[in-house]
Coordinates of all heavy atoms in Angstrom, one line a residue:
M24 N 0.8 -1.1 -0.1 CA 0.0 0.0 0.0 C 0.9 1.2 0.0 O 1.9 1.3 0.6 CB -0.9 0.0 1.2 CG -1.8 1.2 1.3 SD -3.0 1.1 2.4 CE -4.0 -0.1 1.9
S25 N 0.5 2.3 -0.7 CA 1.2 3.5 -0.8 C 1.3 4.2 0.6 O 0.4 4.2 1.4 CB 0.6 4.5 -1.8 OG 0.6 3.9 -3.0
S26 N 2.4 5.0 0.8 CA 2.6 5.7 2.0 C 1.7 7.0 1.9 O 1.3 7.3 0.8 CB 4.0 6.2 2.2 OG 4.4 7.2 1.3
P27 N 1.3 7.5 3.0 CA 0.6 8.8 3.1 C 1.2 9.9 2.2 O 0.6 10.6 1.5 CB 0.5 9.2 4.5 CG 0.5 7.9 5.2 CD 1.6 7.1 4.4
T28 N 2.6 10.0 2.3 CA 3.3 10.9 1.5 C 3.2 10.7 0.0 O 3.0 11.7 -0.8 CB 4.8 11.0 1.9 OG1 4.9 11.3 3.4 CG2 5.6 12.1 1.2
T29 N 3.2 9.5 -0.4 CA 3.1 9.1 -1.8 C 1.7 9.4 -2.3 O 1.6 10.0 -3.4 CB 3.4 7.6 -2.0 OG1 4.7 7.3 -1.6 CG2 3.3 7.2 -3.5
K30 N 0.8 9.1 -1.5 CA -0.7 9.4 -1.8 C -0.8 10.9 -2.0 O -1.5 11.4 -3.0 CB -1.6 8.8 -0.8 CG -1.8 7.4 -0.8 CD -2.8 7.0 0.3 CE -2.8 5.5 0.4 NZ -3.8 5.1 1.3
A31 N -0.3 11.7 -1.0 CA -0.5 13.2 -1.1 C 0.2 13.7 -2.4 O -0.3 14.7 -2.9 CB 0.1 13.8 0.1
T32 N 1.4 13.2 -2.7 CA 2.1 13.6 -3.8 C 1.3 13.4 -5.2 O 1.2 14.2 -6.0 CB 3.5 12.9 -3.9 OG1 4.2 13.3 -2.8 CG2 4.3 13.4 -5.2
A33 N 0.7 12.2 -5.2 CA -0.1 11.8 -6.4 C -1.3 12.7 -6.5 O -1.7 13.2 -7.5 CB -0.6 10.4 -6.3
I34 N -2.0 13.0 -5.3 CA -3.2 13.9 -5.4 C -2.8 15.4 -5.7 O -3.4 16.0 -6.6 CB -3.8 13.9 -4.0 CG1 -4.5 12.5 -3.7 CG2 -4.9 15.0 -3.8 CD1 -4.9 12.2 -2.3
T35 N -1.6 15.8 -5.2 CA -1.2 17.0 -5.5 C -0.8 17.3 -7.1 O -1.3 18.2 -7.7 CB 0.2 17.4 -4.7 OG1 -0.2 17.4 -3.4 CG2 0.8 18.8 -5.2
S36 N -0.2 16.2 -7.6 CA 0.0 16.2 -9.1 C -1.3 16.2 -9.8 O -1.3 17.0 -10.9 CB 0.9 15.0 -9.4 OG 1.1 14.9 -10.7
M37 N -2.2 15.4 -9.4 CA -3.6 15.4 -10.2 C -4.2 16.8 -10.1 O -4.7 17.3 -11.1 CB -4.4 14.4 -9.5 CG -5.8 14.3 -10.1 SD -5.8 13.6 -11.8 CE -7.5 13.2 -12.1
L38 N -4.2 17.4 -8.9 CA -4.9 18.7 -8.8 C -4.2 19.8 -9.6 O -4.7 20.6 -10.2 CB -5.0 19.1 -7.2 CG -5.9 18.3 -6.3 CD1 -5.7 18.7 -4.9 CD2 -7.4 18.6 -6.8
T39 N -2.8 19.7 -9.5 CA -2.0 20.8 -10.3 C -2.3 20.6 -11.8 O -2.5 21.7 -12.4 CB -0.6 20.5 -9.9 OG1 -0.3 20.7 -8.5 CG2 0.3 21.6 -10.7
T40 N -2.4 19.4 -12.2 CA -2.6 19.2 -13.6 C -4.1 19.6 -14.0 O -4.2 20.3 -15.0 CB -2.4 17.6 -14.1 OG1 -1.0 17.4 -13.7 CG2 -2.5 17.4 -15.5
V41 N -5.0 19.0 -13.3 CA -6.4 19.2 -13.8 C -6.9 20.7 -13.6 O -7.6 21.2 -14.4 CB -7.3 18.2 -13.0 CG1 -8.8 18.5 -13.2 CG2 -7.0 16.8 -13.4
L42 N -6.5 21.2 -12.6 CA -6.9 22.6 -12.3 C -6.0 23.7 -12.7 O -6.2 24.9 -12.6 CB -7.1 22.9 -10.7 CG -8.1 21.9 -10.1 CD1 -8.3 22.1 -8.6 CD2 -9.6 22.1 -10.6
R43 N -4.9 23.2 -13.4 CA -3.8 24.1 -13.9 C -3.4 25.0 -12.8 O -3.1 26.2 -13.0 CB -4.3 24.9 -15.1 CG -4.7 24.0 -16.2 CD -5.1 24.7 -17.4 NE -5.8 23.9 -18.4 CZ -7.1 23.9 -18.6 NH1 -7.9 24.7 -17.9 NH2 -7.6 23.0 -19.5
A44 N -3.2 24.5 -11.6 CA -2.7 25.3 -10.4 C -1.2 25.6 -10.6 O -0.5 24.6 -11.1 CB -3.0 24.6 -9.1
P45 N -0.7 26.7 -10.1 CA 0.7 26.9 -10.3 C 1.5 26.1 -9.3 O 0.9 25.8 -8.2 CB 0.9 28.4 -10.0 CG -0.4 28.8 -9.2 CD -1.4 27.8 -9.6
L46 N 2.7 25.9 -9.5 CA 3.6 25.2 -8.6 C 4.1 26.1 -7.6 O 4.7 25.6 -6.5 CB 4.8 24.5 -9.3 CG 4.3 23.3 -10.3 CD1 5.4 22.8 -11.1 CD2 3.6 22.3 -9.6
D47 N 4.2 27.4 -7.7 CA 4.7 28.3 -6.9 C 3.8 28.5 -5.6 O 2.7 28.9 -5.8 CB 4.7 29.7 -7.7 CG 5.3 30.9 -6.8 OD1 5.7 30.6 -5.6 OD2 5.2 32.0 -7.1
Q48 N 4.3 28.0 -4.5 CA 3.6 28.0 -3.2 C 3.3 29.4 -2.8 O 2.3 29.5 -1.9 CB 4.4 27.3 -2.2 CG 4.5 25.8 -2.5 CD 3.0 25.1 -2.5 OE1 2.3 25.1 -1.5 NE2 2.7 24.5 -3.5
E49 N 3.8 30.4 -3.3 CA 3.4 31.8 -2.9 C 2.2 32.3 -3.6 O 1.6 33.1 -3.1 CB 4.7 32.8 -3.3 CG 5.9 32.5 -2.5 CD 5.8 32.5 -1.1 OE1 5.1 33.4 -0.5 OE2 6.4 31.5 -0.3
A50 N 1.8 31.6 -4.7 CA 0.6 32.0 -5.4 C -0.6 31.5 -4.6 O -0.7 30.4 -4.2 CB 0.6 31.4 -6.8
P51 N -1.6 32.4 -4.5 CA -2.9 32.0 -3.7 C -3.6 30.9 -4.3 O -4.3 30.2 -3.6 CB -3.7 33.3 -3.7 CG -3.1 34.2 -4.8 CD -1.7 33.7 -5.0
E52 N -3.4 30.6 -5.6 CA -4.2 29.5 -6.3 C -3.5 28.2 -6.3 O -3.9 27.3 -7.0 CB -4.8 30.0 -7.7 CG -3.7 30.2 -8.6 CD -3.1 31.7 -8.6 OE1 -3.3 32.4 -7.6 OE2 -2.4 32.0 -9.6
A53 N -2.3 28.2 -5.7 CA -1.5 27.0 -5.7 C -2.1 25.8 -4.8 O -2.9 26.1 -3.9 CB -0.1 27.3 -5.2
V54 N -1.8 24.6 -5.2 CA -2.2 23.5 -4.4 C -1.3 23.5 -3.0 O -0.1 23.7 -3.1 CB -1.9 22.1 -5.1 CG1 -2.3 20.9 -4.2 CG2 -2.8 22.1 -6.4
R55 N -1.9 23.3 -1.9 CA -1.2 23.3 -0.6 C -1.3 21.9 0.0 O -2.2 21.2 -0.1 CB -2.0 24.2 0.3 CG -2.2 25.7 -0.2 CD -1.0 26.5 0.3 NE -1.3 27.9 -0.2 CZ -0.5 28.5 -1.1 NH1 0.5 27.9 -1.7 NH2 -0.8 29.8 -1.4
I56 N -0.1 21.6 0.6 CA -0.1 20.5 1.6 C 0.1 21.0 3.0 O 1.2 21.6 3.2 CB 1.0 19.5 1.1 CG1 0.7 18.9 -0.3 CG2 1.0 18.2 2.2 CD1 1.7 18.0 -0.7
E57 N -0.6 20.6 3.9 CA -0.5 20.9 5.3 C -0.4 19.6 6.0 O -1.0 18.6 5.8 CB -1.7 21.7 5.8 CG -1.9 23.0 5.1 CD -3.2 23.7 5.5 OE1 -3.3 24.1 6.6 OE2 -4.0 23.8 4.6
E58 N 0.5 19.6 7.1 CA 0.6 18.4 7.9 C 0.3 18.6 9.3 O 0.7 19.6 10.0 CB 2.2 18.0 7.8 CG 2.4 16.7 8.5 CD 3.9 16.2 8.2 OE1 4.6 16.9 7.4 OE2 4.2 15.1 8.7
T59 N -0.4 17.7 9.9 CA -0.8 17.6 11.3 C -0.1 16.3 11.9 O 0.5 15.5 11.0 CB -2.3 17.6 11.6 OG1 -2.9 16.4 11.1 CG2 -3.0 18.8 10.9
D60 N -0.3 16.0 13.1 CA 0.2 14.9 13.7 C -0.4 13.7 13.1 O 0.2 12.6 12.9 CB 0.0 14.9 15.2 CG 0.9 15.8 15.9 OD1 1.9 16.2 15.3 OD2 0.7 16.2 17.1
A61 N -1.8 13.8 12.8 CA -2.5 12.6 12.3 C -2.8 12.6 10.8 O -3.1 11.4 10.3 CB -3.9 12.7 13.0
A62 N -2.5 13.6 10.0 CA -2.9 13.5 8.6 C -2.1 14.5 7.8 O -1.5 15.4 8.2 CB -4.4 13.9 8.4
L63 N -2.2 14.3 6.5 CA -1.8 15.2 5.5 C -3.0 15.8 4.7 O -3.9 15.0 4.5 CB -0.8 14.6 4.4 CG 0.5 14.1 4.9 CD1 1.1 13.3 3.8 CD2 1.4 15.1 5.4
R64 N -3.1 17.1 4.7 CA -4.2 17.7 4.1 C -3.8 18.4 2.8 O -2.9 19.3 2.8 CB -4.9 18.6 5.0 CG -6.2 19.3 4.4 CD -6.8 20.3 5.3 NE -7.9 21.0 4.8 CZ -9.1 20.8 5.0 NH1 -9.5 19.6 5.8 NH2 -10.1 21.4 4.5
V65 N -4.4 18.0 1.7 CA -4.1 18.6 0.4 C -5.3 19.4 -0.1 O -6.5 19.0 0.0 CB -3.8 17.6 -0.8 CG1 -3.4 18.2 -2.0 CG2 -2.6 16.6 -0.2
S66 N -5.1 20.7 -0.4 CA -6.2 21.6 -0.8 C -5.8 22.5 -1.9 O -4.7 22.8 -2.2 CB -6.7 22.3 0.4 OG -5.7 23.2 0.8
S67 N -6.8 22.8 -2.8 CA -6.6 23.7 -3.8 C -8.0 24.5 -4.2 O -9.0 23.9 -4.2 CB -6.2 22.9 -5.1 OG -6.0 23.8 -6.3
P68 N -7.8 25.8 -4.4 CA -9.0 26.5 -4.9 C -9.3 26.0 -6.3 O -8.5 25.6 -7.1 CB -8.5 28.0 -5.0 CG -7.2 28.1 -4.5 CD -6.7 26.7 -4.3
V69 N -10.7 26.0 -6.6 CA -11.1 25.6 -7.9 C -11.3 27.0 -8.7 O -12.0 27.8 -8.3 CB -12.5 25.0 -7.8 CG1 -13.0 24.6 -9.3 CG2 -12.3 23.7 -7.0
P70 N -10.6 27.2 -9.9 CA -10.6 28.3 -10.6 C -12.1 28.8 -11.0 O -12.8 28.1 -11.5 CB -9.8 28.1 -11.8 CG -8.9 26.9 -11.5 CD -9.8 26.1 -10.5
S71 N -12.3 30.1 -10.7 CA -13.7 30.6 -11.0 C -13.7 30.8 -12.6 O -14.9 31.0 -13.0 CB -14.0 31.8 -10.3 OG -12.9 32.8 -10.6
T72 N -12.6 30.8 -13.2 CA -12.7 31.1 -14.7 C -13.2 29.8 -15.5 O -13.5 30.0 -16.6 CB -11.3 31.4 -15.2 OG1 -10.4 30.3 -14.8 CG2 -10.8 32.7 -14.7
L73 N -13.3 28.6 -14.8 CA -13.8 27.4 -15.5 C -15.4 27.6 -15.6 O -16.1 28.0 -14.7 CB -13.5 26.2 -14.6 CG -12.0 25.9 -14.4 CD1 -12.0 24.6 -13.5 CD2 -11.4 25.6 -15.8
S74 N -15.9 27.2 -16.7 CA -17.3 27.2 -16.9 C -17.9 26.1 -16.0 O -17.3 25.2 -15.5 CB -17.7 26.9 -18.3 OG -17.5 25.5 -18.6
E75 N -19.1 26.2 -15.7 CA -19.9 25.4 -14.7 C -19.8 23.9 -15.2 O -19.6 23.0 -14.5 CB -21.4 25.7 -14.6 CG -22.0 25.0 -13.5 CD -21.5 25.3 -12.1 OE1 -21.0 26.4 -11.8 OE2 -21.7 24.5 -11.2
V76 N -20.0 23.7 -16.6 CA -19.9 22.3 -17.1 C -18.5 21.8 -17.0 O -18.4 20.6 -16.5 CB -20.4 22.5 -18.7 CG1 -20.2 21.1 -19.4 CG2 -21.8 22.9 -18.8
V77 N -17.5 22.5 -17.4 CA -16.2 22.0 -17.3 C -15.9 21.8 -15.7 O -15.2 20.8 -15.5 CB -15.2 23.1 -17.9 CG1 -13.7 22.6 -17.6 CG2 -15.3 23.2 -19.4
R78 N -16.2 22.7 -15.0 CA -15.9 22.5 -13.5 C -16.6 21.3 -12.9 O -15.9 20.5 -12.2 CB -16.5 23.7 -12.8 CG -16.0 23.8 -11.3 CD -16.4 25.0 -10.5 NE -16.4 26.2 -11.4 CZ -16.9 27.3 -11.2 NH1 -17.7 27.5 -10.1 NH2 -16.8 28.3 -12.0
L79 N -17.8 20.9 -13.2 CA -18.4 19.7 -12.8 C -17.8 18.5 -13.4 O -17.6 17.5 -12.7 CB -19.9 19.8 -13.1 CG -20.8 20.8 -12.3 CD1 -22.2 20.9 -12.8 CD2 -20.7 20.5 -10.9
D80 N -17.4 18.6 -14.7 CA -16.7 17.5 -15.2 C -15.4 17.1 -14.6 O -15.0 16.0 -14.2 CB -16.6 17.7 -16.8 CG -16.1 16.4 -17.5 OD1 -16.5 15.3 -17.2 OD2 -15.2 16.6 -18.4
L81 N -14.6 18.2 -14.4 CA -13.3 18.0 -13.7 C -13.4 17.6 -12.3 O -12.7 16.7 -11.8 CB -12.6 19.4 -13.8 CG -12.0 19.9 -15.1 CD1 -11.3 21.2 -15.0 CD2 -11.1 18.8 -15.7
L82 N -14.4 18.2 -11.5 CA -14.5 17.8 -10.2 C -15.0 16.3 -10.1 O -14.6 15.5 -9.2 CB -15.5 18.7 -9.5 CG -15.0 20.1 -9.2 CD1 -16.1 21.0 -8.5 CD2 -13.7 20.1 -8.3
G83 N -15.8 15.9 -11.0 CA -16.3 14.4 -11.0 C -15.1 13.6 -11.3 O -14.9 12.5 -10.7
D84 N -14.1 13.9 -12.2 CA -12.9 13.2 -12.4 C -12.0 13.2 -11.3 O -11.4 12.1 -10.8 CB -12.1 13.7 -13.7 CG -12.8 13.5 -15.0 OD1 -13.8 12.7 -15.1 OD2 -12.4 14.2 -16.0
L85 N -11.9 14.3 -10.6 CA -11.1 14.4 -9.4 C -11.6 13.5 -8.3 O -10.9 12.9 -7.5 CB -10.9 15.9 -8.9 CG -10.0 16.7 -9.7 CD1 -10.2 18.1 -9.3 CD2 -8.5 16.4 -9.5
L86 N -12.8 13.6 -8.1 CA -13.4 12.8 -7.0 C -13.3 11.3 -7.2 O -13.1 10.6 -6.3 CB -15.0 13.2 -6.7 CG -15.1 14.6 -6.2 CD1 -16.6 14.9 -6.1 CD2 -14.5 14.9 -4.9
G87 N -13.4 10.9 -8.5 CA -13.2 9.5 -8.9 C -11.8 9.1 -8.5 O -11.6 8.0 -8.0
F88 N -10.8 9.9 -8.8 CA -9.5 9.7 -8.5 C -9.2 9.5 -6.9 O -8.6 8.7 -6.5 CB -8.6 10.8 -9.0 CG -7.1 10.7 -8.8 CD1 -6.3 9.8 -9.5 CD2 -6.6 11.5 -7.9 CE1 -5.0 9.7 -9.3 CE2 -5.1 11.4 -7.5 CZ -4.4 10.5 -8.3
L89 N -9.9 10.5 -6.2 CA -9.6 10.5 -4.8 C -10.3 9.3 -4.1 O -9.8 8.8 -3.1 CB -10.3 11.8 -4.3 CG -9.5 13.0 -4.6 CD1 -10.3 14.3 -4.1 CD2 -8.1 13.1 -4.0
L90 N -11.3 8.8 -4.6 CA -12.0 7.6 -4.1 C -11.0 6.4 -4.1 O -11.0 5.7 -3.1 CB -13.2 7.1 -4.9 CG -14.5 8.0 -4.6 CD1 -15.5 7.7 -5.7 CD2 -15.0 7.7 -3.2
G91 N -10.1 6.3 -5.0 CA -9.1 5.2 -5.1 C -8.0 5.5 -4.1 O -7.1 4.6 -4.1
K92 N -7.9 6.6 -3.5 CA -6.7 6.9 -2.7 C -6.9 6.6 -1.2 O -6.1 6.8 -0.4 CB -6.2 8.3 -2.9 CG -5.7 8.6 -4.4 CD -4.5 7.8 -4.6 CE -4.1 7.8 -6.1 NZ -3.1 7.0 -6.4
G93 N -8.1 6.2 -0.8 CA -8.4 5.9 0.6 C -8.2 7.2 1.5 O -7.7 7.1 2.6
A94 N -8.8 8.3 1.0 CA -8.7 9.5 1.8 C -10.1 10.2 2.0 O -11.0 9.9 1.2 CB -7.7 10.5 1.1
R95 N -10.2 10.9 3.0 CA -11.4 11.7 3.2 C -11.3 12.9 2.2 O -10.2 13.4 2.1 CB -11.6 12.3 4.6 CG -11.9 11.2 5.6 CD -12.1 11.8 7.0 NE -11.0 12.4 7.4 CZ -9.9 11.9 8.0 NH1 -10.0 10.6 8.2 NH2 -8.9 12.6 8.5
F96 N -12.4 13.4 1.6 CA -12.3 14.5 0.8 C -13.6 15.2 0.6 O -14.6 14.8 1.1 CB -11.9 14.1 -0.7 CG -12.8 13.0 -1.3 CD1 -14.0 13.5 -2.0 CD2 -12.6 11.7 -1.2 CE1 -14.8 12.6 -2.6 CE2 -13.5 10.8 -1.7 CZ -14.6 11.2 -2.4
G97 N -13.6 16.5 0.1 CA -14.8 17.2 0.0 C -14.5 18.5 -0.8 O -13.5 18.8 -1.3
L98 N -15.6 19.2 -0.9 CA -15.6 20.5 -1.6 C -16.2 21.6 -0.8 O -17.3 21.4 -0.4 CB -16.3 20.4 -2.9 CG -16.4 21.7 -3.8 CD1 -15.0 22.0 -4.3 CD2 -17.3 21.3 -5.0
Y99 N -15.5 22.6 -0.4 CA -16.0 23.7 0.4 C -16.4 24.8 -0.5 O -15.7 25.2 -1.4 CB -14.8 24.2 1.3 CG -15.2 25.4 2.0 CD1 -16.2 25.4 3.0 CD2 -14.5 26.7 1.8 CE1 -16.6 26.6 3.7 CE2 -14.9 27.8 2.5 CZ -15.9 27.8 3.4 OH -16.2 29.0 4.1
V100 N -17.7 25.2 -0.5 CA -18.2 26.2 -1.4 C -18.7 27.4 -0.5 O -19.8 27.3 0.0 CB -19.4 25.6 -2.3 CG1 -19.9 26.7 -3.2 CG2 -18.9 24.3 -2.9
P101 N -17.9 28.4 -0.5 CA -18.3 29.6 0.4 C -19.2 30.4 -0.5 O -19.4 30.3 -1.6 CB -16.9 30.2 0.6 CG -16.2 30.0 -0.5 CD -16.5 28.5 -0.9
H102 N -19.9 31.4 0.4 CA -20.8 32.3 -0.3 C -20.0 33.2 -1.2 O -20.5 33.7 -2.2 CB -21.7 33.0 0.7 CG -22.7 32.1 1.3 ND1 -23.8 31.7 0.7 CD2 -22.7 31.6 2.6 CE1 -24.5 30.9 1.5 NE2 -23.8 30.8 2.8
D103 N -18.8 33.6 -0.7 CA -18.0 34.5 -1.5 C -16.6 34.0 -1.5 O -16.2 33.3 -0.6 CB -17.9 35.9 -0.8 CG -17.5 35.9 0.6 OD1 -17.3 34.8 1.1 OD2 -17.4 37.0 1.2
G104 N -15.9 34.1 -2.7 CA -14.6 33.5 -2.9 C -14.6 32.2 -3.5 O -15.7 31.7 -3.8
P105 N -13.5 31.7 -3.8 CA -13.5 30.4 -4.6 C -13.8 29.2 -3.8 O -13.5 29.1 -2.6 CB -11.9 30.4 -5.0 CG -11.3 31.0 -4.1 CD -12.2 32.2 -3.5
S106 N -14.4 28.2 -4.5 CA -14.5 26.9 -3.9 C -13.2 26.3 -3.7 O -12.2 26.6 -4.4 CB -15.3 26.0 -4.9 OG -16.6 26.5 -5.0
V107 N -13.1 25.4 -2.8 CA -11.8 24.7 -2.5 C -12.1 23.2 -2.4 O -12.9 22.7 -1.6 CB -11.2 25.2 -1.1 CG1 -9.9 24.4 -0.8 CG2 -10.9 26.7 -1.1
I108 N -11.3 22.4 -3.1 CA -11.3 21.0 -3.0 C -10.3 20.6 -2.1 O -9.2 21.2 -2.1 CB -11.2 20.3 -4.5 CG1 -11.5 18.8 -4.4 CG2 -9.9 20.6 -5.1 CD1 -11.8 18.2 -5.7
W109 N -10.6 19.7 -1.2 CA -9.6 19.2 -0.2 C -9.7 17.7 0.0 O -10.7 17.1 -0.4 CB -9.9 19.9 1.1 CG -11.2 19.6 1.7 CD1 -12.3 20.3 1.5 CD2 -11.5 18.5 2.6 NE1 -13.4 19.8 2.2 CE2 -13.0 18.6 2.8 CE3 -10.8 17.5 3.1 CZ2 -13.6 17.7 3.7 CZ3 -11.5 16.5 3.9 CH2 -12.9 16.7 4.3
T110 N -8.7 17.2 0.5 CA -8.6 15.8 0.9 C -7.6 15.6 2.1 O -6.7 16.5 2.2 CB -8.1 14.8 -0.3 OG1 -8.1 13.5 0.1 CG2 -6.7 15.3 -0.8
E111 N -7.9 14.7 2.9 CA -7.0 14.4 4.0 C -6.6 12.8 4.0 O -7.5 12.0 3.8 CB -7.7 14.6 5.4 CG -7.8 16.1 5.7 CD -8.4 16.4 7.1 OE1 -9.0 15.5 7.8 OE2 -8.4 17.5 7.4
I112 N -5.4 12.6 4.2 CA -4.8 11.3 4.2 C -4.2 11.0 5.6 O -3.3 11.7 6.1 CB -3.7 11.1 3.2 CG1 -4.1 11.5 1.8 CG2 -3.2 9.6 3.2 CD1 -3.4 12.4 1.1
E113 N -4.8 10.0 6.3 CA -4.4 9.6 7.6 C -2.9 9.2 7.5 O -2.5 8.3 6.7 CB -5.3 8.6 8.2 CG -6.6 9.1 8.7 CD -7.4 8.1 9.4 OE1 -6.8 7.0 9.9 OE2 -8.7 8.3 9.4
K114 N -2.1 9.6 8.5 CA -0.7 9.2 8.6 C -0.5 7.7 9.2 O 0.4 7.1 8.9 CB 0.1 10.2 9.3 CG 0.3 11.5 8.4 CD 0.8 12.7 9.0 CE 2.1 12.7 9.8 NZ 2.6 13.9 10.3
A115 N -1.4 7.5 10.2 CA -1.4 6.3 10.8 C -2.6 5.9 11.5 O -3.4 6.8 11.9 CB -0.3 6.3 12.0
S116 N -2.9 4.8 11.6 CA -4.2 4.3 12.3 C -4.0 4.2 13.8 O -2.9 4.4 14.3 CB -4.7 2.9 11.8 OG -3.6 1.9 12.2
P117 N -5.0 4.2 14.5 CA -4.9 4.2 16.0 C -4.0 3.2 16.6 O -3.3 3.4 17.6 CB -6.4 3.9 16.6 CG -7.2 4.3 15.4 CD -6.5 4.1 14.2
G118 N -3.8 2.1 15.9 CA -2.8 1.0 16.3 C -1.4 1.4 16.0 O -0.5 0.7 16.2
G119 N -1.2 2.5 15.1 CA 0.2 3.0 14.8 C 0.6 2.5 13.4 O 1.7 2.9 13.0
D120 N -0.2 1.7 12.7 CA 0.0 1.4 11.4 C -0.4 2.3 10.4 O -1.5 2.8 10.5 CB -0.4 0.0 11.0 CG 0.2 -1.1 12.0 OD1 1.3 -0.9 12.4 OD2 -0.5 -2.1 12.3
A121 N 0.3 2.5 9.3 CA -0.1 3.4 8.2 C -1.4 2.7 7.5 O -1.4 1.5 7.4 CB 0.9 3.6 7.2
P122 N -2.4 3.5 7.1 CA -3.6 2.8 6.5 C -3.2 2.2 5.2 O -2.3 2.4 4.6 CB -4.6 4.0 6.3 CG -3.8 5.2 6.5 CD -2.5 4.9 7.2

C-alpha cells in the first residue's frame, strides 16, 4: 500500500494538472499540503474562470481519482470567494500502522 506521502504527492500532481494550479507555493491559487500529527491535508482553490460544465466534469474526475486513494475529501463552497477541493490522508491508524 502507498505511504501517506506518496498518496499526497499523487493527489497534488492530479490537482495541479487538472486545475492548472501553479507550482509556486506563494501563489494564492497553488495546491497546498498541510501536515498535522494525524494527517496530510491537500487543498486547492477551484478556478472561477472554469465554466460550470467544465468545473463539474473536472470535479467528477477528481473525486473519482480521490476515491481510489483511501482518503477523506470534500468541496468547500463559500458564499464569497473560490470553492476549495480538499482531501485528508491519515498518517497512521490508532494502532500505529499506516492505513
Side-chain angles (χ1 to χ4, degrees):
M24 181 172 289
S25 298
S26 74
T28 302
T29 301
K30 289 179 184 180
T32 301
I34 292 166
T35 299
S36 178
M37 177 72 164
L38 289 171
T39 300
T40 301
V41 171
L42 298 177
R43 296 183 196 106
L46 297 174
D47 178 8
Q48 290 297 304
E49 299 300 317
E52 64 274 13
V54 177
R55 306 264 185 247
I56 299 178
E57 299 171 68
E58 186 171 358
T59 67
D60 290 339
L63 295 173
R64 182 181 176 98
V65 181
S66 63
S67 180
V69 178
S71 60
T72 56
L73 297 176
S74 73
E75 189 68 22
V76 171
V77 170
R78 190 176 319 167
L79 290 174
D80 189 43
L81 288 176
L82 290 175
D84 290 346
L85 284 170
L86 294 177
F88 177 79
L89 293 174
L90 281 171
K92 296 298 175 192
R95 289 184 302 275
F96 58 87
L98 180 65
Y99 172 66
V100 183
H102 292 288
D103 55 353
S106 298
V107 176
I108 192 164
W109 62 268
T110 185
E111 287 185 348
I112 303 126
E113 288 185 16
K114 290 168 50 176
S116 65
D120 296 328

